[in-house]
Amino acid sequence: MTSSIKTIIPVCKVNYPAWLEMRFAPPSARGSGKERRAPLPVVDAHTHFVPSRLAADATRDRRWPSVDVSGDKAAVVIGGKLFRKIDSRSWDVGRRLADMDADGTAMQVLSPMPELLSHWLPADDAEYLADIINEHIAGMIGEAPRRFAGIGMACVQDVPRALAQLQRIKALGLTGIEIGTHVNGVALGTEALHPLYEAAEALDLCIFIHPLHPAGLERIAAGAEFGATAAFPLETALAAVSLLAGGVLEKFSKLRILLSHGGGALPWIVPRLDYGWSLGGEMQKRMTRSPREIARGFFYDSILYDAAALQFMASVVGQDRIVVGSDYPFTIRQKDPGAFVRAALPDCPGVLADNAFALLGCTFDLETQHATRDRHPVASPQA
């Protein structure tokens, strides 16, 4: 990266106008004189998007994805085989907003369905696909700029191409990129990917890490549902440990990284990592601080389904590093994510929205939903 790109890490603040607090108040509070005690607005930082139009293309790699729409339903086809059946919640703004209103979500952060990341495509195809998806996400935000923010994707299997693409992502107004837990087998901590992290940090873009083609499925020897529920959390932990071992958070201290699904198994193995690090050896050569301290530099979403699990995660990583997430619109989603977080962490209001805006690196006024930039640095997370 050239030194001409100036790093800008803004102060993140959220203004909650009265109309918004009232809009997302429970029905019993509306018109009852209890408006100021209405729940604070919720920002859902983990939702997914699939475009309504993505044509098959015989000139592209055989693994090129396509979306075949029929009315309200669609089929995502990859390599000539059905990958997933979806519906219009993946792309329809009106339907999505209705669902958001129903569960009290003020804003969603849109990101690609993970399989669309296509880290296995040839670089030309991957770059072209990423541009298509990013423009679709920007277009959806344009339809409801008060309700959506966006995280795009890049051709990360070809890092030089990805660096140029990050500039386009920035120009579209997206706030980061989503990547898999490995890049077609390349571990996230490897030095080959460090220029990507350097560029994202310099451009003030966050990185959202989502499980993709997890390890260990052969050891489960069961259906895809077991992989999504059991292998995904383990895969996220493997990716996070690779980032720790690769010194990514220490080298790029202002880079904001979100680990999906509560960081997977990472919070639960942090004590074991800490103990191993305390014994010295290679772990201390690779990490100058304890794994627990470094792990508090990640962000984590709340998709854990169980209040005790979320409370434990908060005790390990710190409540200021947790954002609301749902996995909308897929079957495994955490329903009513704001209510879940309020019940589990009632004394942590920042989790509802403020932490998400810290992750995105933007200041949003939820009344106008225009992002602004401030040149004052955000304080480093507490150990």
Side-chain angles (χ1 to χ4, degrees):
M1 284 300 296
T2 68
S3 59
S4 62
I5 299 175
K6 186 174 182 180
T7 301
I8 301 174
I9 304 295
V11 170
C12 298
K13 301 177 182 177
V14 186
N15 299 320
Y16 303 114
W19 75 264
L20 193 64
E21 291 196 8
M22 187 56 184
R23 178 172 187 170
F24 296 107
S28 61
R30 299 172 189 172
S32 65
K34 299 179 180 179
E35 288 85 352
R36 304 309 300 173
R37 292 189 292 274
L40 291 175
V42 172
V43 175
D44 184 348
H46 182 161
T47 77
H48 292 299
F49 159 85
V50 179
S52 61
R53 302 180 308 279
L54 187 59
D57 188 340
T59 68
R60 300 287 173 181
D61 186 87
R62 64 177 182 79
R63 294 162 294 180
W64 176 267
S66 64
V67 179
D68 299 327
V69 177
S70 177
D72 181 57
K73 307 295 183 181
V76 179
V77 177
I78 298 176
K81 297 180 180 180
L82 175 66
F83 171 73
R84 175 176 287 168
K85 293 181 179 180
I86 59 175
D87 61 38
S88 62
R89 291 173 299 170
S90 292
W91 65 81
D92 186 280
V93 169
R95 186 172 180 188
R96 202 166 185 123
L97 292 178
D99 286 350
M100 291 165 64
D101 289 345
D103 69 11
T105 298
M107 185 179 188
Q108 283 187 350
V109 181
L110 310 174
S111 62
M113 181 183 76
E115 198 73 17
L116 292 177
L117 297 177
S118 299
H119 294 334
W120 41 88
L121 287 182
D124 285 346
D125 292 351
E127 182 179 15
Y128 180 62
L129 177 61
D131 283 343
I132 291 172
I133 298 300
N134 294 339
E135 289 170 7
H136 272 289
I137 292 176
M140 192 167 174
I141 294 170
E143 291 188 53
R146 298 169 67 175
R147 307 298 299 278
F148 298 126
I151 291 174
M153 56 186 270
C155 175
V156 294
Q157 56 265 59
D158 186 321
V159 172
R161 287 176 186 255
L163 301 189
Q165 204 159 35
L166 291 184
Q167 299 277 359
R168 301 201 293 273
I169 287 167
K170 182 81 170 181
L172 283 172
L174 305 183
T175 58
I177 61 169
E178 179 184 3
I179 65 175
T181 39
H182 57 93
V183 179
N184 201 28
V186 176
L188 295 190
T190 184
E191 289 192 8
L193 293 174
H194 284 200
L196 177 72
Y197 306 139
E198 180 187 14
E201 181 184 55
L203 288 167
D204 196 24
L205 295 170
C206 68
I207 294 179
F208 174 33
I209 295 174
H210 196 288
L212 190 60
H213 296 186
L217 292 178
E218 73 283 358
R219 302 295 297 275
I220 296 175
E225 295 85 356
F226 287 89
T229 53
F232 272 21
L234 304 179
E235 177 71 18
T236 301
L238 292 175
V241 172
S242 178
L243 292 168
L244 294 175
V248 171
L249 288 185
E250 295 184 278
K251 187 173 182 180
F252 308 105
S253 60
K254 295 180 180 178
L255 178 62
R256 301 183 302 277
I257 297 177
L258 171 62
L259 300 177
S260 59
H261 312 129
L266 180 65
W268 278 260
I269 65 172
V270 159
R272 186 177 179 89
L273 289 168
D274 265 0
Y275 185 75
W277 180 83
S278 73
L279 300 177
E282 184 183 1
M283 291 186 72
Q284 285 198 8
K285 292 178 183 178
R286 286 179 171 269
M287 292 180 279
T288 62
R289 296 176 291 151
S290 72
R292 180 186 296 261
E293 184 178 356
I294 302 172
R296 286 189 170 211
F298 293 119
F299 284 84
Y300 302 77
D301 70 33
S302 62
I303 308 174
L304 291 171
Y305 312 102
D306 179 82
L310 182 56
Q311 291 158 3
F312 174 78
M313 183 180 74
S315 73
V316 174
V317 306
Q319 59 87 15
D320 61 322
R321 311 307 289 177
I322 301 173
V323 299
V324 174
S326 69
D327 232 332
Y328 180 95
F330 299 138
T331 303
I332 203 168
R333 74 185 186 276
Q334 170 77 65
K335 297 180 180 179
D336 298 321
F340 169 66
V341 168
R342 287 190 191 98
L345 302 174
D347 299 321
C348 303
V351 174
L352 298 176
D354 296 55
N355 295 353
F357 292 135
L359 166 71
L360 300 178
C362 291
T363 298
F364 283 83
D365 183 326
L366 288 178
E367 189 164 13
T368 63
Q369 215 56 60
H370 292 305
T372 58
R373 295 284 175 177
D374 192 320
R375 296 178 183 271
H376 299 288
V378 172
S380 297
Q382 297 298 311

